[in-house]
Amino acid sequence: MKDIAKRVFEVEIESLQHVAGLIDDTFTGAVEAILAHTGKVIVIGVGKSGLIGKKIAATLSSTGTPALFLHPGDAFHGDLGIISSDDAVILISYSGETDEVLKVIPFLKWNNNLIISLTGSATSTVSKNSDHHLNINITREACPLALAPTSSTTAALVMGDALAIALMESRNFQEEDFARFHPGGSLGRKLLTRVKDLMRTDNLPLISKEASFTDVLLSMSEGKLGMVIVGDRNYIDGIITDGDLRRALLKNQDISKLSVADMMTTNPIIVDETEFISQVEALMMEKKITNVLVGKSRQIVGVYQIYNQ
């Protein structure tokens, strides 16, 4: 079974490499044409190509290009009305001769729609009637009987992803834009949520410069942040993390001789409460820390902990 799985991967990778080699200026033309259109993108296909089409439409929509999937069967029964003349239409048919897809073309021509096709034949009826043809011709299907669409649907899917990403980068689509389209997901929450919404403001572990080692240890334990803050909310002198504590003990095991000044970091990172969680967590990952102080200059209003979610 493992050998079969590996063979499928190898065959599909081989086909994708072949399709990648077929990409030419037509791809650029298709992207530029979609960008020039003010309407949405309609993706059409049947069977397995239809399933791939749904995913392509979803990816386009979530990356800044409004799109929807239309089944040609529904189109024949009144749904052609959703296609405006300023819409671009992507037709997916590996053979390029799928009857249901061919029947849609006369309307698209009459409606002056931009037609982009994904087929495995540059001489097919669908490709010949397209403004831009993207060749997804594969070397072979992964199915040993060459019956079940496997490599061909993967090629169509990846070509759709390539279109979506090219459009996304052309539109300068950013993380914040992606988050607006995904407000219900963890990524959306992280990209749209600000530090002030999640920071801890109560019972902060504050100690004075004169605190004893025991005071530091008790305050750190009670605070449950893995750190203590030296000073008060109006002016902080520094912080002591559990790592600072361990390093101080390694240097001097006589705790009676350890002072706060010996252990604390005097230039801790302080972030503004209006910053986005995504930006702050990126900084924390870079600095390899789990807590940051929140405030301005030496005044603090809270602490943000990266694992508090």
Side-chain angles (χ1 to χ4, degrees):
M1 293 301 103
K2 290 189 293 183
D3 290 338
I4 293 173
K6 290 178 181 178
R7 185 183 72 232
V8 171
F9 271 83
E10 290 167 358
V11 171
E12 298 211 15
I13 289 170
E14 173 190 285
S15 288
L16 286 178
Q17 290 174 332
H18 176 70
V19 174
L22 299 176
I23 294 176
D24 55 20
D25 290 340
T26 303
F27 181 86
T28 303
V31 172
E32 291 176 345
I34 294 174
L35 289 170
H37 273 63
T38 57
K40 55 194 176 296
V41 174
I42 308 294
V43 185
I44 295 175
V46 296
K48 304 299 186 296
S49 292
L51 296 173
I52 295 300
K54 290 180 181 179
K55 194 276 179 183
I56 291 174
T59 300
L60 287 167
S61 293
S62 67
T63 52
T65 301
L68 57 85
F69 173 77
L70 175 62
H71 191 285
D74 295 328
F76 303 148
H77 296 280
D79 286 0
L80 281 173
I82 68 172
I83 305 178
S84 301
S85 59
D86 57 354
D87 291 339
V89 179
I90 297 176
L91 303 178
I92 308 175
S93 167
Y94 186 74
S95 68
E97 303 295 342
T98 306
D99 186 57
E100 295 93 334
V101 175
L102 292 176
K103 288 180 179 178
V104 178
I105 293 177
F107 170 81
L108 300 178
K109 293 287 188 181
W110 172 83
N111 205 37
N112 294 316
N113 290 110
L114 168 70
I115 302 175
I116 298 168
S117 63
L118 274 61
T119 84
S121 171
T123 60
S124 67
T125 305
V126 171
S127 61
K128 286 181 177 179
N129 283 278
S130 303
D131 298 295
H132 302 277
H133 171 245
L134 303 181
N135 197 338
I136 54 170
N137 179 262
I138 59 168
T139 52
R140 54 180 169 150
E141 297 284 12
C143 170
L145 301 177
L147 295 175
T150 45
S151 301
S152 57
T153 47
T154 299
L157 177 64
V158 176
M159 186 63 79
D161 285 343
L163 276 173
I165 300 306
L167 289 164
M168 176 182 178
E169 293 192 12
S170 297
R171 299 183 195 279
N172 195 29
F173 192 84
Q174 300 297 316
E175 286 183 337
E176 291 77 13
D177 302 308
F178 189 86
R180 290 188 186 96
F181 295 151
H182 300 76
S186 59
L187 177 61
R189 288 193 298 273
K190 184 175 289 188
L191 290 174
L192 295 177
T193 304
R194 298 182 188 273
V195 172
K196 63 182 180 181
D197 299 318
L198 295 177
M199 69 180 180
R200 175 172 158 183
T201 59
D202 297 327
N203 301 317
L204 298 182
L206 296 162
I207 62 168
S208 68
K209 278 186 177 181
E210 293 72 34
S212 66
F213 180 87
T214 302
D215 292 334
V216 172
L217 198 60
L218 288 172
S219 182
M220 188 176 295
S221 178
E222 291 171 0
K224 297 179 181 179
L225 286 173
M227 61 171 285
V228 294
I229 304 165
V230 182
D232 56 42
R233 288 175 179 267
N234 293 320
Y235 189 89
I236 64 111
D237 296 292
I239 62 171
I240 301 175
T241 67
D242 51 4
D244 293 329
L245 205 62
R246 288 193 299 271
R247 285 186 287 272
L249 281 172
L250 286 174
K251 289 181 180 179
N252 191 342
Q253 296 182 3
D254 186 353
I255 62 174
S256 64
K257 296 181 179 180
L258 287 175
S259 68
V260 167
D262 295 327
M263 297 180 283
M264 75 174 178
T265 298
T266 57
N267 57 340
I269 295 173
I270 302 176
V271 301
D272 192 274
E273 63 179 343
T274 61
E275 290 192 43
F276 288 109
I277 291 297
S278 57
Q279 297 169 331
V280 172
E281 289 195 355
L283 173 65
M284 295 169 75
M285 295 285 282
E286 178 188 340
K287 301 295 184 181
K288 297 181 180 179
I289 56 177
T290 58
N291 297 293
V292 288
L293 301 179
V294 183
K296 291 182 179 179
S297 187
R298 289 280 173 170
Q299 290 185 321
I300 64 165
V301 293
V303 174
Y304 176 71
Q305 187 175 30
I306 198 169
Y307 300 121
N308 66 357
Q309 300 176 70

